[in-house]
Amino acid sequence: MKEAVIHAGPKVEIRDSPIPKPKPGQVIIKVIVSGSNPKDWKIPEWMPDAPALNQGDDIAGTIYAVGDGVTEFRQGDRVAAFHEMLTPNGSYGEYAVAWAHTTFFLPEKTSYEEGAAIPLAALTAAVGLYASDCLDMPQPWSPASKPTPLVIYGGSSAVGTYAIQLAKKSNIHPLICVAGRAQEHVEKLIDRSKGDTIVDYRKGDDAVVQGIKDALKGLELEYAYDAVSEKNSYQNISRVLNQSSGKIKLVLPPKGDWAAKFEDIPAGIQQGTTNVGAVHKDLKDLGFVYSRYFTRGLEEGWFRGQPQEVVPCGLGGIQAALEKLKDGTASAVKYVFRISDTEGAGSAQ
């Protein structure tokens, strides 16, 4: 099979590799569409001494084989899945490995392109909002019963998009979403009738802080989800959060060090970094439940994928897409790749 591995740069190398075999608890998916994420170019730069790897983690396709103990899925099922990060056989290949508990059914009305835009970012949002280590917000099936302001910094990002949808299902309002040129996308997600609003970061840091304060309308800010974690995002949030009991969850660690803390966040504010990889470790139950909840949300219509842009040439288009992610060209879009568009795909299985 054809498989793409990512080097620092980013530089993409397409190789011929054997079709993987499932371990107990795993599924093999024939990849129809793969999604991309900023981490796909960042990790090779953060870990320059590690072997080059297929960094794709967003899978959409059909079940090809199942490992021992897998009873939920059968060959041919339409699914999406979150591949375990930093392990072989990711989504940048004709076949990929996923654990069954982070694999979920795609309704017939949901395209593979939309499915490939969901897994990693949506689970990141779920971990960030609901894990007990920091924000620990009300679950959608036990929604908030009183006004609970939440700042979502980077509302038009993939993680921000899913955080907004899940928070709404948890009746968390007002949602104060910080965004820039993609505000039209955010506007379609929020509920103005419940006080939700958008603050434009392009007006400068002081304007962002004042905009958040104005949106609170006298309420205390206890919760913030920073889906940017750079360019003064958490500094601005920290100026408004309750200085003795506020909580902020960030999607990136300082300087790539997941064990470190942001030293310029006031000591009275509880901070945490979202480690979506925990759904394959300590947060397996959360990963299992929310993966299946995404299927329900897609079926019922309250949950949908980040807008997608299909990049031509399949695996051959990955480098151009990662370059756009690196230089900041992307806005409110998920770059996805149809594997069948790859030169030589399917010629030797």
Side-chain angles (χ1 to χ4, degrees):
M1 71 170 190
K2 298 297 181 184
E3 179 183 39
V5 298
I6 315 302
H7 302 267
K11 182 180 179 182
V12 176
E13 175 191 1
I14 298 178
R15 299 175 177 173
D16 288 312
S17 301
I19 296 175
K21 298 184 187 309
K23 297 177 182 178
Q26 291 183 335
V27 296
I28 304 299
I29 299 171
K30 181 176 175 58
V31 185
I32 295 177
V33 181
S34 171
S36 59
N37 293 282
K39 61 144 285 278
D40 300 346
W41 69 263
K42 290 179 179 179
I43 286 184
E45 295 195 2
W46 287 351
M47 304 172 64
D49 297 329
L53 195 64
N54 173 344
Q55 291 287 348
D57 295 317
D58 281 332
I59 309 167
T62 59
I63 296 290
Y64 175 76
V66 300
D68 291 343
V70 176
T71 58
E72 188 175 0
F73 302 104
R74 293 178 174 85
Q75 189 174 40
D77 286 342
R78 300 177 78 252
V79 297
F82 174 39
H83 167 260
E84 184 176 2
M85 297 186 297
L86 301 180
T87 65
N89 303 119
S91 67
Y92 292 154
E94 294 183 74
Y95 296 83
V97 172
W99 291 99
H101 76 277
T102 53
T103 301
F104 56 97
F105 291 106
L106 288 181
E108 288 296 330
K109 65 181 179 180
T110 303
S111 69
Y112 289 112
E113 288 79 8
E114 183 175 11
I118 293 171
L120 184 150
L123 283 169
T124 300
V127 170
L129 291 175
Y130 302 118
S132 60
D133 64 330
C134 188
L135 295 187
D136 196 15
M137 304 208 77
Q139 304 282 352
W141 43 87
S142 184
S145 58
K146 61 181 181 180
T148 307
L150 171 68
V151 167
I152 299 177
Y153 212 112
S156 66
S157 68
V159 174
T161 292
Y162 298 123
I164 292 171
Q165 294 179 80
L166 291 171
K168 282 174 60 182
K169 196 65 176 172
S170 291
N171 197 34
I172 296 169
H173 299 283
L175 297 175
I176 304 168
C177 303
V178 181
R181 64 183 184 272
Q183 291 184 39
E184 183 178 348
H185 167 66
V186 178
E187 192 69 50
K188 296 175 182 177
L189 301 173
I190 63 174
D191 186 346
R192 291 276 183 177
S193 72
K194 295 188 177 180
D196 298 351
T197 192
I198 301 170
V199 177
D200 192 337
Y201 69 80
R202 296 172 299 179
K203 295 181 180 180
D205 294 339
D206 289 342
V208 168
V209 171
Q210 189 59 51
I212 294 173
K213 290 179 178 178
D214 292 343
L216 288 168
K217 300 186 184 304
L219 294 170
E220 194 75 39
L221 181 64
E222 300 288 347
Y223 304 100
Y225 192 24
D226 187 352
V228 178
S229 307
E230 57 187 6
K231 300 178 181 177
N232 287 338
S233 58
Y234 61 88
Q235 292 94 332
N236 291 338
I237 294 169
S238 296
R239 290 168 61 184
V240 190
L241 271 173
N242 186 312
Q243 299 293 292
S244 60
S245 60
K247 300 178 179 180
I248 181 172
K249 194 76 165 181
L250 305 103
V251 294
L252 294 177
K255 300 178 181 179
D257 182 356
W258 292 88
K261 297 286 187 181
F262 288 94
E263 295 180 356
D264 43 354
I265 293 178
I269 294 174
Q270 182 180 342
Q271 62 172 289
T273 303
T274 307
N275 178 12
V276 68
V279 299
H280 291 126
K281 297 180 175 64
D282 297 338
L283 297 179
K284 286 183 179 180
D285 286 352
L286 186 151
F288 174 87
V289 169
Y290 274 95
S291 294
R292 279 126 195 88
Y293 203 57
F294 300 155
T295 299
R296 172 173 287 186
L298 291 167
E299 289 174 339
E300 295 178 348
W302 57 263
F303 185 77
R304 58 184 184 269
Q306 175 85 337
Q308 311 97 51
E309 179 180 323
V310 178
V311 180
C313 303
L315 299 178
I318 293 174
Q319 181 160 325
L322 295 187
E323 288 171 351
K324 288 182 179 180
L325 290 175
K326 184 175 182 178
D327 67 22
T329 303
S331 177
V333 67
K334 175 73 81 167
Y335 295 126
V336 301
F337 316 94
R338 293 176 180 143
I339 303 304
S340 62
D341 293 344
T342 305
E343 183 178 356
S347 59
Q349 302 296 344

